[in-house]
Amino acid sequence: MKIRFLYLGLALSLFIACKQEPAEESSLANYQGDETYTVIFGSTAVGHLKTHTVGDTIHIDYDYKNNGRGPTMKETIVLNKGGFPVQWNITGNTTFGNSVNETYSLKESTASWTDATGSGSASVDNAMWYVNQSGSPYSAILTARSLLKSTDFSADVLPAGKLQITEMEKTSVTVDTATVDLTTYALSGADMNPSYFIADNDMRLFAVISPKFVVVREGFEAKEKELRAYAEKYSTERFESIQKEYAHNYGKKVRIANVKIFNPNTLSLTPLSSVLVDGERIVSIDAPDTTGEDEVVIDGANGTLVAGMYEMHAHTGDERALLNVLAGVTTFRDMGNNNEVLEDLIKRIDEGVLAGPRVHRLGFIEGKSKYSANNGILVASEEEALAAVDRYHDMGFYGVKLYNSMNGDWAPAIVKRAHEHGLFVCGHVPAFSNANAMLRAGFDEMTHINQTMLGWVLEPDEDTRTLLRLTALKRFPGLDLNSPKVQETMDLFVRNKTAIDPTLAIHEVLMKSRNGEIWEGTKDYIDHMPPNTQREFKIAKADVASPEDDKAYREGYDKIVEALKMMKEKGIFIVPGTDLGGAFFYHRELELYQQLGYTPAELLKLASYDMAQYMGDKDLGSIAPGKLADFFLVPGDPVKDIKAIKTISMVSKGGTFYYPSEVYPAFGITPFTDIPEVKE
């Protein structure tokens, strides 16, 4: 607690008599009282972060809801005189409902903690910062105050890793007549990418910023877009720098020698060959030891060359864009985004300033409600929805995606208008409707398998804009897939030639992840990830409150697989996408499809050639003269084992070459394989 000397004379006499130093002030002496912040997504206020500091203790209330979901957290943090935590309690629920009861304590030289992954402890010589798993972003400013006092602005942290703080720039904001001088900072080391925040001159938190959302001091909400632009700029600068350092544009012909090529038409590998690239295109396929004048030669070392893959359920950002290219994903279908941000990002990718896949844009149309996903264009009437379709057509989007808060009764008119424009239509099932209605309305594709299956288990008045669209999956085990209601839906898919974008990997995470257990889909690479990412892969998403819940979710997932297998057998076209950011999760998506009856060779074809055909990309999808040079190299044979695509040694996207093992350390990722031998 802060010590207040009421009688200075008495204090001085005691000091002289005892020959002791005066008690040190609390590290929070200058930060007492209340602070309030607003959480903003897409220019819409969706929640709050409130703090109350008294003595050495900070009480935090953090709550927001976007798209019908979000965290609800209460924190109590006690700091010692040096500003380090000695007690930290976090309780509440995560975005998808998982219960949180996280604790940290420092007693003498022993630090101990419990989070969703389990408990741990460490002997420490000095107090250290603990990187929380489920708390609010307010801890950024508390950590920063300590890091700025360290000699190199960095420190080892618990449970593992090292944090670094970097000052980005000085700035200021003005609202009415109030001007606040500010400094922007980056915190890095715990995750694959830095996080950004802004402090005032007194080192009070002003804002936490990212390209998608902002937590900003109350009274300055009008500056949200301006503040978010800082995060967009810093992220762009980071990835421009990475592109400049690691993207190889050789300026002459490049030959990839000694490789077998996956042929999607025969579902097999060719004999050893070499592939010659000139500019952005493949010009010839030759004998493995063919040489030419003034060529760069990349030795494929008898590995396999596969055409670039398609992540069909992406939400493009510059961070994920590069990681997907490194994972062999060279084309995205963007399923909804901030339209201005996406347009600028595509421009930078096309100019070669940033690394990223080719992007097909779907225009996001959402109804206005308290559950809205604040993205794309929000509409309040059928007329506004039709105007949104017209606008997306004028902007050059290839289709539209409808979302949860839409009025399902508008779907027929929206689809009709979109098809008149030649636009593709897909989406969620709007609340209080069902898949059958959307199929009859003319959807070209249904998004997420649970969106279709919920129509088989929900009552008409149940609201899927809430977490019910997850918790109701516990009802799936009782489904009879041969029942008339299920078969009616299946028949509509077949009759209308409607595809399904199941996002199976996200359902595996939602329904099968458990606290303290490594996610099944990450076991092949979790040891290569930064410390906080490893922790993330050991947390349940759903609230699995009982053995009955555990059983219901696991059996519900099995029922999803059974339904998808039935769809495949009926000839319903399956579109591979993740809604998990792609990259390593895209590899898992394909791997899971083996449960549906696909062979590894069929999966390679599905991810590349079939998607190119589906999207109308005539110059992509296979490796042949005249086609764009989008492909990746793996040391193994993915026709025999689809897991071979997880170990990629080289990627070409339009004749720009990347070696993942060069780039991964910039993300704190340990490389998976050697860099090929390159002769320039």
Side-chain angles (χ1 to χ4, degrees):
M1 299 290 290
K2 182 179 179 181
I3 298 174
R4 301 180 185 274
F5 293 114
L6 300 179
Y7 300 98
L8 181 59
L10 176 61
L12 289 172
S13 65
L14 287 171
F15 170 76
I16 295 169
C18 299
K19 295 183 180 180
Q20 293 178 348
E21 294 295 325
E24 187 180 350
E25 274 194 336
S26 163
S27 65
L28 296 171
N30 297 324
Y31 304 103
Q32 300 291 293
D34 297 330
E35 296 177 288
T36 301
Y37 303 86
T38 303
V39 182
I40 303 175
F41 273 84
S43 300
T44 300
V46 296
H48 64 260
L49 190 160
K50 298 179 180 180
T51 72
H52 175 68
T53 301
V54 55
D56 294 307
T57 303
I58 309 164
H59 301 281
I60 300 172
D61 174 4
Y62 183 50
D63 192 327
Y64 74 80
K65 297 292 177 286
N66 181 49
N67 190 12
R69 60 197 185 207
T72 299
M73 295 294 167
K74 302 285 188 182
E75 292 180 77
T76 301
I77 307 172
V78 181
L79 302 184
N80 66 12
K81 306 305 178 186
F84 291 90
V86 293
Q87 189 68 42
W88 199 333
N89 297 304
I90 307 169
T91 60
N93 298 96
T94 64
T95 294
F96 289 98
N98 188 19
S99 296
V100 172
N101 188 8
E102 184 176 357
T103 63
Y104 170 83
S105 68
L106 175 65
K107 295 180 179 178
E108 296 180 349
S109 61
T110 300
S112 57
W113 58 89
T114 298
D115 60 22
T117 69
S119 298
S121 63
S123 295
V124 296
D125 296 329
N126 301 292
M128 299 173 66
W129 263 96
Y130 169 72
V131 178
N132 72 77
Q133 185 182 70
S134 301
S136 74
Y138 189 77
S139 60
I141 192 67
L142 305 177
T143 310
R145 291 170 190 161
S146 293
L147 292 175
L148 288 171
K149 295 175 184 177
S150 63
T151 53
D152 60 354
F153 307 119
S154 69
D156 293 327
V157 293
L158 296 170
K162 190 181 188 76
L163 279 182
Q164 173 86 40
I165 189 168
T166 304
E167 181 179 317
M168 304 301 289
E169 63 181 300
K170 303 288 187 183
T171 186
S172 65
V173 297
T174 301
V175 171
D176 297 328
T177 59
T179 297
V180 182
D181 293 325
L182 302 168
T183 305
T184 61
Y185 295 94
L187 267 179
S188 58
D191 295 296
M192 287 190 284
N193 292 290
S195 58
Y196 303 101
F197 71 95
I198 304 175
D200 64 19
N201 287 346
D202 296 323
M203 280 308 292
R204 285 184 179 272
L205 183 66
F206 183 80
V208 176
I209 56 176
S210 81
K212 291 190 175 181
F213 84 104
V214 166
V215 182
V216 62
R217 185 179 293 176
E218 187 177 45
F220 291 86
E221 291 85 354
K223 297 296 181 178
E224 172 267 339
K225 188 173 182 179
E226 177 181 327
L227 297 172
R228 182 160 45 85
Y230 284 105
E232 293 168 0
K233 179 177 70 169
Y234 300 148
S235 181
T236 297
E237 288 173 350
R238 166 173 159 76
F239 285 95
E240 285 180 355
S241 175
I242 290 174
Q243 173 77 343
K244 188 175 295 185
E245 183 171 1
Y246 297 116
H248 297 270
N249 291 289
Y250 292 107
K252 50 186 171 181
K253 293 179 181 179
V254 179
R255 184 178 298 278
I256 303 90
N258 301 311
V259 290
K260 299 171 185 176
I261 302 167
F262 175 68
N263 185 332
N265 296 312
T266 63
L267 298 179
S268 63
L269 302 183
T270 67
L272 277 176
S273 308
S274 67
V275 175
L276 186 64
V277 174
D278 188 3
E280 66 176 2
R281 293 189 181 268
I282 299 165
V283 294
S284 64
I285 296 176
D286 307 304
D289 56 353
T290 302
T291 59
E293 292 185 6
D294 198 28
E295 292 179 350
V296 173
V297 178
I298 301 171
D299 185 2
N302 299 334
T304 304
L305 217 58
V306 181
M309 299 181 293
Y310 283 62
E311 158 63 300
M312 296 293 282
H313 199 120
H315 296 279
T316 314
D318 45 18
E319 298 172 0
R320 291 175 174 179
L322 174 54
L323 286 172
N324 273 274
V325 169
L326 300 179
V329 176
T330 55
T331 305
F332 268 1
R333 183 176 65 170
D334 190 283
M335 299 292 283
N337 218 311
N338 179 305
N339 294 327
E340 292 180 7
V341 172
L342 181 59
E343 183 176 6
D344 182 65
L345 181 58
I346 292 173
K347 179 175 180 289
R348 291 174 180 272
I349 291 173
D350 290 345
E351 291 172 346
V353 176
L354 292 175
R358 306 173 193 277
V359 181
H360 293 271
R361 298 178 297 173
L362 279 169
F364 192 87
I365 304 177
E366 167 70 312
K368 290 182 180 178
S369 80
K370 66 179 181 178
Y371 300 107
S372 297
N374 294 288
N375 218 344
I377 300 176
L378 272 65
V379 299
S381 67
E382 182 176 306
E383 290 71 24
E384 289 183 6
L386 295 176
V389 173
D390 294 340
R391 182 176 172 190
Y392 280 125
H393 170 258
D394 294 342
M395 292 168 64
F397 283 59
Y398 102 95
V400 295
K401 175 188 175 184
L402 309 189
Y403 209 62
N404 296 326
S405 289
M406 286 287 307
N407 185 331
D409 293 340
W410 305 343
I414 294 171
V415 173
K416 182 175 182 292
R417 177 67 61 86
H419 285 171
E420 288 172 352
H421 285 309
L423 297 179
F424 180 91
V425 182
C426 67
H428 285 206
V429 174
F432 312 113
S433 187
N434 56 51
N436 289 6
M438 298 305 104
L439 290 163
R440 291 190 176 100
F443 270 35
D444 298 294
E445 179 182 303
M446 299 298 297
T447 303
H448 302 300
I449 184 61
N450 68 309
Q451 292 283 318
T452 290
M453 294 180 67
L454 284 170
W456 304 334
V457 298
L458 293 180
E459 297 299 323
D461 60 346
E462 291 187 289
D463 192 346
T464 54
R465 294 173 298 178
T466 68
L467 280 182
L468 179 69
R469 63 183 184 266
L470 168 60
T471 58
L473 307 190
K474 290 185 289 186
R475 305 179 194 178
F476 286 179
L479 272 171
D480 176 5
L481 295 183
N482 291 309
S483 65
K485 64 181 176 182
V486 173
Q487 289 304 308
E488 179 185 9
T489 304
M490 295 281 188
D491 290 344
L492 284 168
F493 268 99
V494 174
R495 188 181 314 139
N496 296 343
K497 297 181 179 179
T498 307
I500 179 73
D501 163 26
T503 61
L504 186 55
I506 200 171
H507 288 88
E508 180 188 45
V509 171
L510 290 171
M511 302 176 75
K512 297 183 71 174
S513 61
R514 298 293 181 267
N515 288 338
E517 298 178 12
I518 299 173
W519 296 358
E520 187 66 33
T522 69
K523 287 181 177 178
D524 291 332
Y525 62 86
I526 186 171
D527 291 343
H528 292 255
M529 296 294 112
N532 249 26
T533 306
Q534 292 192 31
R535 290 171 81 194
E536 179 186 343
F537 294 160
K538 300 176 186 177
I539 309 172
K541 288 294 186 184
D543 182 18
V544 185
S546 67
E548 290 75 20
D549 283 347
D550 177 80
K551 183 173 184 289
Y553 276 126
R554 291 185 189 277
E555 292 181 357
Y557 174 79
D558 292 340
K559 188 65 69 170
I560 286 174
V561 172
E562 187 181 342
L564 284 171
K565 186 175 181 181
M566 180 180 287
M567 286 181 162
K568 180 179 181 296
E569 291 169 350
K570 289 178 175 289
I572 297 168
F573 192 61
I574 294 175
V575 175
T578 70
D579 202 20
L580 279 169
F584 302 120
F585 287 111
Y586 187 80
H587 299 161
R588 181 60 175 173
E589 184 81 15
L590 297 181
E591 187 179 358
L592 289 173
Y593 286 4
Q594 293 176 111
Q595 299 174 79
L596 314 183
Y598 287 98
T599 67
E602 289 171 336
L603 290 171
L604 295 176
K605 178 175 181 285
L606 178 69
S608 56
Y609 183 82
D610 289 348
M611 290 305 101
Q613 297 294 306
Y614 188 64
M615 298 302 297
D617 293 340
K618 296 179 181 179
D619 289 342
L620 296 169
S622 61
I623 299 170
K627 292 209 168 185
L628 291 167
D630 285 17
F631 50 71
F632 61 96
L633 174 67
V634 297
D637 182 354
V639 170
K640 292 181 180 178
D641 183 0
I642 193 64
K643 285 189 176 185
I645 65 172
K646 297 182 178 184
T647 307
I648 294 176
S649 58
M650 180 273 291
V651 181
S652 169
K653 191 257 180 158
T656 297
F657 290 83
Y658 301 87
Y659 305 106
S661 293
E662 270 191 338
V663 190
Y664 280 143
F667 293 90
I669 299 173
T670 302
F672 297 88
T673 190
D674 294 331
I675 298 172
E677 181 182 349
V678 181
K679 295 180 180 179
E680 295 189 47

